[in-house]
Amino acid sequence: MQTLKLTQFSKILLSILMYLSLSGLFYSQTYTTQYIDSMLLKVNEDLRVSGRKKEVIDLNNKFCNISKKQDYKRGVVLSYINLGNIYATVGMYDKAFQYLQYAEENVEGIDDDYLHAKLYQEYGQANYVIGLYKKAIQYNSRSIYYGEQIKNKHEREILSVVYANRADFLRETNSADSSLIYLHKALDVKPTPVINSTIANHYMLFDKNEDSAQVYFNRAFSLLKKRDYLDPQRALTYFYYGNFLSEKKDYTSALYYYIESVEILKKTQRIYQVPVLYQTIAKTYKNLHNASKEKDYLERYAQLNDSLEKVWDESINSSVDKMARQKEKDDREKKNSTLLYNAIVFALLGIIIVVYYVYNKRIAKKRKIIEEKEVETEFLMKKISVSDDTLMSLAKKNEPLFFNEYQSAYPELIERLLKINPNLSTNELSFCAMIQLGFSSKEIAQYGFMQHRSVQTKKNRLRKKLQIPSDVDIYFFLQNLNSK
């Protein structure tokens, strides 16, 4: 009986303490910045991955107010970024962008590379989810810039997420080779289940290499065994593994992983990822000749996708509104500076008039030279454009004359390649030429009458012969070599 009373008392006391904490009566207490950071980074992450939306929002609102009262700007920005993340996670993109804008306004003037990297990483991911891939890549580039400036080893781990996000963005813009490079960069920073499973998915999707895919899936599942909780990494790994099993026509096993992935996404509030799984499950039931279940999941897909598309449209409008507001702000700043600009312009105009009359003949002569150079440059650009069009036409037709014409157009590039490795064959130089002209791996395979895997193999051999680092795209290597 005494134990029961003690337990009841403990529960009541805990409830009172939680209420006082959430009601703000403890806000008068001064918290250390280390404690605030711990709550907004570690505790927030634990709540976030378990899908506890309400607790995440309460936590960040509370410590946002505390940070404001203690004039701790880093805490304010972290709170806003976390709120932006959780609202984007549950599909409330209008509120997500609202809080990310608050974070952006407050981060100005703060010399903290981690904060900037985290903010732009969230901006990039939010724009990617609603289909604004170009803006997503722009924000991701900013995130990489700041992330690579971070000195703290633990905070620098954010680059793993940033690189992995960039891989997703590049894959959506048909840059599969570059995507794989960034996945391996992410893996080097911090190996996680989802990065390993994404690499496995890449090998399965683009190279049809089941052995390599299985190796990375094994690593992903090995890492998942160390996690005794459900999180989005497990959900995405299950989804990719389901695709792997579907490729092997093991539809029953694939279905198990798809359904498990859906349940995890629901529990962790990752609703925006569910529609594609519903669609995939419907397709799997079709392969299993279960028309009733196929129809059921297609209806679920249509219903959820329609509701999310409405939210996406509103979020895109919000993003556009933000750009419009930024333009208005720029216009106001220009208007406020009109008098100063006018003074400078009139002063410069007076100087120009004086110089013009004093050095009239000299200026006229220079203008004539410039005009001649412009005509010459325009002629050369037209010539190069026509030359490249001709080369690309010959390449597409697999004409034997292609390499001779290319060598005439780019003799210096061929010389530089042979200087690196004199043993390069004509076939390998011709292969380099097609890459430098911008042909994708798929196009090279198509026009060269070879398998996509053969193209990848040739690229790997060229990397070794030309000593190209693993983190450098072969296309950019050739372009840089050509521009020297």
PDB file of all heavy atoms in Angstrom, residues 349-366:
ATOM      1  N   LEU A 349      29.059  61.942 -64.174  1.00  0.00           N
ATOM      2  CA  LEU A 349      28.723  62.460 -65.496  1.00  0.00           C
ATOM      3  C   LEU A 349      29.561  63.682 -65.829  1.00  0.00           C
ATOM      4  O   LEU A 349      30.061  63.841 -66.954  1.00  0.00           O
ATOM      5  CB  LEU A 349      27.228  62.806 -65.548  1.00  0.00           C
ATOM      6  CG  LEU A 349      26.688  63.245 -66.908  1.00  0.00           C
ATOM      7  CD1 LEU A 349      26.878  62.146 -67.950  1.00  0.00           C
ATOM      8  CD2 LEU A 349      25.209  63.612 -66.793  1.00  0.00           C
ATOM      9  N   GLY A 350      29.735  64.554 -64.833  1.00  0.00           N
ATOM     10  CA  GLY A 350      30.566  65.746 -65.061  1.00  0.00           C
ATOM     11  C   GLY A 350      31.992  65.372 -65.391  1.00  0.00           C
ATOM     12  O   GLY A 350      32.615  65.954 -66.294  1.00  0.00           O
ATOM     13  N   ILE A 351      32.520  64.384 -64.663  1.00  0.00           N
ATOM     14  CA  ILE A 351      33.895  63.940 -64.909  1.00  0.00           C
ATOM     15  C   ILE A 351      34.017  63.340 -66.309  1.00  0.00           C
ATOM     16  O   ILE A 351      34.989  63.605 -67.033  1.00  0.00           O
ATOM     17  CB  ILE A 351      34.315  62.908 -63.844  1.00  0.00           C
ATOM     18  CG1 ILE A 351      34.385  63.587 -62.472  1.00  0.00           C
ATOM     19  CG2 ILE A 351      35.662  62.291 -64.194  1.00  0.00           C
ATOM     20  CD1 ILE A 351      34.593  62.633 -61.319  1.00  0.00           C
ATOM     21  N   ILE A 352      32.999  62.540 -66.660  1.00  0.00           N
ATOM     22  CA  ILE A 352      33.024  61.895 -67.985  1.00  0.00           C
ATOM     23  C   ILE A 352      33.011  62.945 -69.101  1.00  0.00           C
ATOM     24  O   ILE A 352      33.727  62.811 -70.110  1.00  0.00           O
ATOM     25  CB  ILE A 352      31.830  60.941 -68.127  1.00  0.00           C
ATOM     26  CG1 ILE A 352      32.025  59.733 -67.206  1.00  0.00           C
ATOM     27  CG2 ILE A 352      31.677  60.465 -69.573  1.00  0.00           C
ATOM     28  CD1 ILE A 352      30.817  58.832 -67.099  1.00  0.00           C
ATOM     29  N   ILE A 353      32.196  63.972 -68.937  1.00  0.00           N
ATOM     30  CA  ILE A 353      32.117  65.018 -69.969  1.00  0.00           C
ATOM     31  C   ILE A 353      33.465  65.716 -70.141  1.00  0.00           C
ATOM     32  O   ILE A 353      33.935  65.961 -71.267  1.00  0.00           O
ATOM     33  CB  ILE A 353      31.020  66.035 -69.601  1.00  0.00           C
ATOM     34  CG1 ILE A 353      29.640  65.359 -69.706  1.00  0.00           C
ATOM     35  CG2 ILE A 353      31.087  67.264 -70.516  1.00  0.00           C
ATOM     36  CD1 ILE A 353      28.509  66.217 -69.179  1.00  0.00           C
ATOM     37  N   VAL A 354      34.100  66.024 -69.006  1.00  0.00           N
ATOM     38  CA  VAL A 354      35.403  66.691 -69.069  1.00  0.00           C
ATOM     39  C   VAL A 354      36.429  65.799 -69.766  1.00  0.00           C
ATOM     40  O   VAL A 354      37.166  66.234 -70.650  1.00  0.00           O
ATOM     41  CB  VAL A 354      35.883  67.042 -67.637  1.00  0.00           C
ATOM     42  CG1 VAL A 354      37.325  67.557 -67.681  1.00  0.00           C
ATOM     43  CG2 VAL A 354      34.981  68.093 -67.031  1.00  0.00           C
ATOM     44  N   VAL A 355      36.445  64.513 -69.316  1.00  0.00           N
ATOM     45  CA  VAL A 355      37.410  63.577 -69.911  1.00  0.00           C
ATOM     46  C   VAL A 355      37.137  63.394 -71.401  1.00  0.00           C
ATOM     47  O   VAL A 355      38.062  63.301 -72.210  1.00  0.00           O
ATOM     48  CB  VAL A 355      37.338  62.218 -69.183  1.00  0.00           C
ATOM     49  CG1 VAL A 355      38.176  61.171 -69.905  1.00  0.00           C
ATOM     50  CG2 VAL A 355      37.819  62.372 -67.742  1.00  0.00           C
ATOM     51  N   TYR A 356      35.847  63.374 -71.762  1.00  0.00           N
ATOM     52  CA  TYR A 356      35.480  63.175 -73.164  1.00  0.00           C
ATOM     53  C   TYR A 356      36.050  64.272 -74.050  1.00  0.00           C
ATOM     54  O   TYR A 356      36.616  64.006 -75.115  1.00  0.00           O
ATOM     55  CB  TYR A 356      33.953  63.135 -73.301  1.00  0.00           C
ATOM     56  CG  TYR A 356      33.480  63.050 -74.730  1.00  0.00           C
ATOM     57  CD1 TYR A 356      33.496  61.843 -75.418  1.00  0.00           C
ATOM     58  CD2 TYR A 356      33.031  64.194 -75.390  1.00  0.00           C
ATOM     59  CE1 TYR A 356      33.075  61.764 -76.723  1.00  0.00           C
ATOM     60  CE2 TYR A 356      32.607  64.125 -76.707  1.00  0.00           C
ATOM     61  CZ  TYR A 356      32.627  62.905 -77.375  1.00  0.00           C
ATOM     62  OH  TYR A 356      32.203  62.860 -78.677  1.00  0.00           O
ATOM     63  N   TYR A 357      35.911  65.512 -73.630  1.00  0.00           N
ATOM     64  CA  TYR A 357      36.387  66.633 -74.450  1.00  0.00           C
ATOM     65  C   TYR A 357      37.903  66.700 -74.495  1.00  0.00           C
ATOM     66  O   TYR A 357      38.485  67.078 -75.508  1.00  0.00           O
ATOM     67  CB  TYR A 357      35.806  67.953 -73.928  1.00  0.00           C
ATOM     68  CG  TYR A 357      34.367  68.165 -74.360  1.00  0.00           C
ATOM     69  CD1 TYR A 357      33.331  68.093 -73.445  1.00  0.00           C
ATOM     70  CD2 TYR A 357      34.063  68.429 -75.700  1.00  0.00           C
ATOM     71  CE1 TYR A 357      32.011  68.263 -73.837  1.00  0.00           C
ATOM     72  CE2 TYR A 357      32.747  68.609 -76.109  1.00  0.00           C
ATOM     73  CZ  TYR A 357      31.731  68.521 -75.171  1.00  0.00           C
ATOM     74  OH  TYR A 357      30.418  68.699 -75.576  1.00  0.00           O
ATOM     75  N   VAL A 358      38.544  66.326 -73.404  1.00  0.00           N
ATOM     76  CA  VAL A 358      40.007  66.408 -73.354  1.00  0.00           C
ATOM     77  C   VAL A 358      40.656  65.299 -74.181  1.00  0.00           C
ATOM     78  O   VAL A 358      41.631  65.503 -74.887  1.00  0.00           O
ATOM     79  CB  VAL A 358      40.492  66.337 -71.892  1.00  0.00           C
ATOM     80  CG1 VAL A 358      42.028  66.285 -71.831  1.00  0.00           C
ATOM     81  CG2 VAL A 358      39.995  67.556 -71.122  1.00  0.00           C
ATOM     82  N   TYR A 359      40.063  64.122 -74.065  1.00  0.00           N
ATOM     83  CA  TYR A 359      40.678  62.971 -74.746  1.00  0.00           C
ATOM     84  C   TYR A 359      39.776  62.405 -75.840  1.00  0.00           C
ATOM     85  O   TYR A 359      39.715  61.196 -76.067  1.00  0.00           O
ATOM     86  CB  TYR A 359      40.973  61.864 -73.725  1.00  0.00           C
ATOM     87  CG  TYR A 359      41.926  62.294 -72.641  1.00  0.00           C
ATOM     88  CD1 TYR A 359      41.437  62.620 -71.376  1.00  0.00           C
ATOM     89  CD2 TYR A 359      43.280  62.366 -72.888  1.00  0.00           C
ATOM     90  CE1 TYR A 359      42.303  63.016 -70.375  1.00  0.00           C
ATOM     91  CE2 TYR A 359      44.154  62.761 -71.891  1.00  0.00           C
ATOM     92  CZ  TYR A 359      43.676  63.093 -70.633  1.00  0.00           C
ATOM     93  OH  TYR A 359      44.547  63.477 -69.661  1.00  0.00           O
ATOM     94  N   ASN A 360      39.091  63.264 -76.541  1.00  0.00           N
ATOM     95  CA  ASN A 360      38.115  62.846 -77.550  1.00  0.00           C
ATOM     96  C   ASN A 360      38.711  61.928 -78.614  1.00  0.00           C
ATOM     97  O   ASN A 360      38.172  60.848 -78.905  1.00  0.00           O
ATOM     98  CB  ASN A 360      37.503  64.082 -78.203  1.00  0.00           C
ATOM     99  CG  ASN A 360      36.408  63.717 -79.187  1.00  0.00           C
ATOM    100  OD1 ASN A 360      35.540  62.909 -78.865  1.00  0.00           O
ATOM    101  ND2 ASN A 360      36.448  64.292 -80.372  1.00  0.00           N
ATOM    102  N   LYS A 361      39.815  62.338 -79.155  1.00  0.00           N
ATOM    103  CA  LYS A 361      40.420  61.555 -80.221  1.00  0.00           C
ATOM    104  C   LYS A 361      40.905  60.191 -79.712  1.00  0.00           C
ATOM    105  O   LYS A 361      40.755  59.169 -80.384  1.00  0.00           O
ATOM    106  CB  LYS A 361      41.593  62.321 -80.842  1.00  0.00           C
ATOM    107  CG  LYS A 361      41.161  63.540 -81.631  1.00  0.00           C
ATOM    108  CD  LYS A 361      42.350  64.215 -82.285  1.00  0.00           C
ATOM    109  CE  LYS A 361      41.912  65.452 -83.094  1.00  0.00           C
ATOM    110  NZ  LYS A 361      43.050  66.107 -83.728  1.00  0.00           N
ATOM    111  N   ARG A 362      41.499  60.228 -78.523  1.00  0.00           N
ATOM    112  CA  ARG A 362      42.039  59.002 -77.951  1.00  0.00           C
ATOM    113  C   ARG A 362      40.907  57.995 -77.672  1.00  0.00           C
ATOM    114  O   ARG A 362      41.046  56.793 -77.948  1.00  0.00           O
ATOM    115  CB  ARG A 362      42.766  59.339 -76.661  1.00  0.00           C
ATOM    116  CG  ARG A 362      43.585  58.205 -76.095  1.00  0.00           C
ATOM    117  CD  ARG A 362      44.376  58.714 -74.920  1.00  0.00           C
ATOM    118  NE  ARG A 362      45.118  57.646 -74.281  1.00  0.00           N
ATOM    119  CZ  ARG A 362      45.894  57.830 -73.214  1.00  0.00           C
ATOM    120  NH1 ARG A 362      46.007  59.045 -72.696  1.00  0.00           N
ATOM    121  NH2 ARG A 362      46.533  56.816 -72.682  1.00  0.00           N
ATOM    122  N   ILE A 363      39.789  58.481 -77.147  1.00  0.00           N
ATOM    123  CA  ILE A 363      38.643  57.623 -76.850  1.00  0.00           C
ATOM    124  C   ILE A 363      38.052  57.040 -78.133  1.00  0.00           C
ATOM    125  O   ILE A 363      37.671  55.867 -78.191  1.00  0.00           O
ATOM    126  CB  ILE A 363      37.561  58.421 -76.081  1.00  0.00           C
ATOM    127  CG1 ILE A 363      38.084  58.784 -74.688  1.00  0.00           C
ATOM    128  CG2 ILE A 363      36.267  57.619 -75.955  1.00  0.00           C
ATOM    129  CD1 ILE A 363      37.189  59.743 -73.934  1.00  0.00           C
ATOM    130  N   ALA A 364      37.959  57.881 -79.176  1.00  0.00           N
ATOM    131  CA  ALA A 364      37.406  57.418 -80.451  1.00  0.00           C
ATOM    132  C   ALA A 364      38.243  56.272 -81.020  1.00  0.00           C
ATOM    133  O   ALA A 364      37.710  55.292 -81.559  1.00  0.00           O
ATOM    134  CB  ALA A 364      37.349  58.573 -81.442  1.00  0.00           C
ATOM    135  N   LYS A 365      39.556  56.402 -80.869  1.00  0.00           N
ATOM    136  CA  LYS A 365      40.450  55.360 -81.373  1.00  0.00           C
ATOM    137  C   LYS A 365      40.239  54.057 -80.605  1.00  0.00           C
ATOM    138  O   LYS A 365      40.193  52.957 -81.191  1.00  0.00           O
ATOM    139  CB  LYS A 365      41.892  55.834 -81.240  1.00  0.00           C
ATOM    140  CG  LYS A 365      42.913  54.848 -81.831  1.00  0.00           C
ATOM    141  CD  LYS A 365      44.327  55.404 -81.707  1.00  0.00           C
ATOM    142  CE  LYS A 365      45.337  54.407 -82.277  1.00  0.00           C
ATOM    143  NZ  LYS A 365      46.734  54.927 -82.163  1.00  0.00           N
ATOM    144  N   LYS A 366      40.095  54.178 -79.288  1.00  0.00           N
ATOM    145  CA  LYS A 366      39.885  52.981 -78.459  1.00  0.00           C
ATOM    146  C   LYS A 366      38.564  52.309 -78.800  1.00  0.00           C
ATOM    147  O   LYS A 366      38.452  51.087 -78.832  1.00  0.00           O
ATOM    148  CB  LYS A 366      39.913  53.352 -76.977  1.00  0.00           C
ATOM    149  CG  LYS A 366      41.311  53.643 -76.458  1.00  0.00           C
ATOM    150  CD  LYS A 366      41.269  53.908 -74.958  1.00  0.00           C
ATOM    151  CE  LYS A 366      42.688  54.144 -74.439  1.00  0.00           C
ATOM    152  NZ  LYS A 366      42.679  54.402 -72.973  1.00  0.00           N
TER     153      LYS A 366
END
